[in-house]
Amino acid sequence: MTQGPRSSLQRRLFFWLMLPVLAALPLLGVALYTQVQRSAQSWLDEGLEDTALTLAGQLDTRGDEPRIEISATMDRALRFDRQDDVFYAVLGTQGQVLQGDAGLVDLQPRPRAQQAGVTRYSNVRLRERELRLVQLGVDCGTNPCQVLVAETLHKRDALQSEIGGVVALNGLMLALLLGLAGWWATRRGLTPLTDLSAELEHRDLHRLTPLSAPLPRELVPLQAAFNRLFERLARAAEAQREFLADAAHQLRTPLTSLQTEIELAMLEPHDVRMDPVLERLRQRVQRSARLAQQLLSLARAEDRSVEVGQRVDLREIATESGQDWAHRALPVGVDLGFELVDAPALGHAFLLRELLENLIHNAVNYAGPRARITVRCGHDEHSSWIEVEDNGPGIAPADRPAALQRFRRGNQASGNGSGLGLAIASDIAARHGGRLELLDAREGPGLRARLSLPPAPPLPAAA
């Protein structure tokens, strides 16, 4: 069953962190808008009430009937407003208009008389116009007089729209800031987990040391679980290496004895018809002995207790290998040559000699009859290197990565190898912090297997 793309933990945390915030922001915005609007409306209503109090102060109640006189100048001052139309009316004790706009008696709904000293605010209509009305009761003797002051709603509507826009804009900015802060906080909070993941990405069977980075309390159990897993894997890998080493060691002695017996049998008088059989037996035993040696080399390459920081010279390693091959019988027509210069490096001499042995053995097996095999070494400012080049059929570039894997051989391979030689050489190279490359021959067809190692630091000057 195909799994879909996995969701991001950071996005999930960010979503659940921002969900209540985004749900609360509109509610907070509405509450803030309502509060600010009420405050603004109260401020504007107080302006209307001040006008009503000014008119109430002009009432003369010393006679039998209340009277009021408003000059033209005062009338203009009372009605002055740059946005709205202002109306006022002063009603006597019987509801008659003493001063102002008589049309206010037609307000809908009609305002009810208020007791002296009582102020009432309401929204009313006058001839299809919406008005805000303040009504003030004034003591005029037996019955209170009424002061009515009203204005249109233009500045109130404009103020309401402005408040709504400001609250919405600030809400959006706050949501954006909270979103950025939430994203940064989740990313920052997941940094220890990201660092732990990066550390685990670089772990393999050759690097199973316990995790020791300081982590938040919530991740300590996970770190401990990984460390226990690493411990079990290390024990399993060590058991596997010991098994390979023991098996290879136990096989080498009987195989060597069997090869010796076969070679002695070939020297003793025997029926010549048995020669092909004895030769095949000898080749099979040699191949088995070689496989046992490779398994032993593989176990040594994976042994992390082996110190690979010793100062070595690749020229000396190649020279020793050349002396060893000089006593072996090469296939007819095969020429093995050496072009060596100093190549100081850091490594383990035995493992590097085994690596070179595998590269030469691979070239001898697969380069074909009358092959020319050349071992070279050298160094530059970036690395020390050693390579084995042949003029055989080579390995196609597309097959080279697979040829470095265990028990894999090139599609054109014709020898009788086991598919372990190049894989072991690659493991030994990686163990030394170097790299093994399969390249084209310098001239013509063939294969060039090149090992590159970090150069050895210069020796300290003599005192």
Side-chain angles (χ1 to χ4, degrees), residues 279-308:
E279 180 60 27
R280 286 197 300 271
L281 284 174
R282 187 179 69 85
Q283 292 179 359
R284 296 296 186 272
V285 171
Q286 286 180 339
R287 182 182 178 187
S288 298
R290 176 63 184 165
L291 178 59
Q293 178 61 33
Q294 288 180 324
L295 290 175
L296 185 59
S297 300
L298 183 62
R300 288 170 175 167
E302 293 180 346
D303 187 357
R304 308 309 293 180
S305 65
V306 175
E307 175 59 46
V308 295

Side-chain angles (χ1 to χ4, degrees), residues 153-168:
L153 305 179
H154 298 309
K155 65 172 170 286
R156 294 174 185 266
D157 291 342
L159 185 59
Q160 181 176 348
S161 298
E162 184 177 354
I163 292 173
V166 170
V167 170

Side-chain angles (χ1 to χ4, degrees), residues 165-357:
V166 170
V167 170
L169 179 60
N170 282 274
L172 289 176
M173 293 179 62
L174 181 60
L176 179 60
L177 290 175
L178 289 175
L180 293 175
W183 184 261
W184 178 85
T186 53
R187 188 178 184 86
R188 184 75 175 176
L190 290 175
T191 298
L193 192 59
T194 304
D195 294 342
L196 179 61
S197 177
E199 177 67 19
L200 291 173
E201 186 69 24
H202 293 88
R203 294 302 178 98
D204 53 30
L205 286 177
H206 303 305
R207 186 166 177 255
L208 294 174
T209 54
L211 300 170
S212 58
L215 294 176
R217 181 175 54 191
E218 293 79 4
L219 292 180
V220 170
L222 179 62
Q223 185 184 54
F226 274 119
N227 286 338
R228 290 192 296 271
L229 176 62
F230 290 162
E231 185 179 354
R232 292 194 295 269
L233 286 175
R235 288 198 299 266
E238 181 63 25
Q240 181 187 37
R241 285 193 295 269
E242 291 178 357
F243 171 77
L244 286 177
D246 291 343
H249 182 74
Q250 294 298 325
L251 285 173
R252 288 175 63 188
T253 301
L255 287 174
T256 302
S257 300
L258 181 57
Q259 181 177 351
T260 302
E261 293 294 336
I262 294 173
E263 291 175 351
L264 289 175
M266 295 177 69
L267 295 176
E268 294 291 333
H270 60 274
D271 191 340
V272 294
R273 290 177 298 179
M274 295 297 297
D275 285 345
V277 176
L278 293 174
E279 180 60 27
R280 286 197 300 271
L281 284 174
R282 187 179 69 85
Q283 292 179 359
R284 296 296 186 272
V285 171
Q286 286 180 339
R287 182 182 178 187
S288 298
R290 176 63 184 165
L291 178 59
Q293 178 61 33
Q294 288 180 324
L295 290 175
L296 185 59
S297 300
L298 183 62
R300 288 170 175 167
E302 293 180 346
D303 187 357
R304 308 309 293 180
S305 65
V306 175
E307 175 59 46
V308 295
Q310 305 168 14
R311 189 178 184 88
V312 297
D313 192 334
L314 299 181
R315 177 178 184 174
E316 295 178 2
I317 292 174
T319 300
E320 293 175 2
S321 182
Q323 292 172 352
D324 185 38
W325 277 93
H327 297 89
R328 303 185 192 181
L330 292 173
V332 177
V334 173
D335 177 38
L336 176 60
F338 292 81
E339 299 175 5
L340 307 177
V341 297
D342 292 339
L346 295 179
H348 189 275
F350 178 84
L351 291 179
L352 292 176
R353 192 179 306 117
E354 185 62 28
L355 181 150
L356 181 58
E357 173 74 14

Side-chain angles (χ1 to χ4, degrees), residues 59-67 140:
L59 271 170
D60 184 3
T61 60
R62 290 173 295 180
D64 294 336
E65 293 292 336
R67 294 179 303 162
C140 290

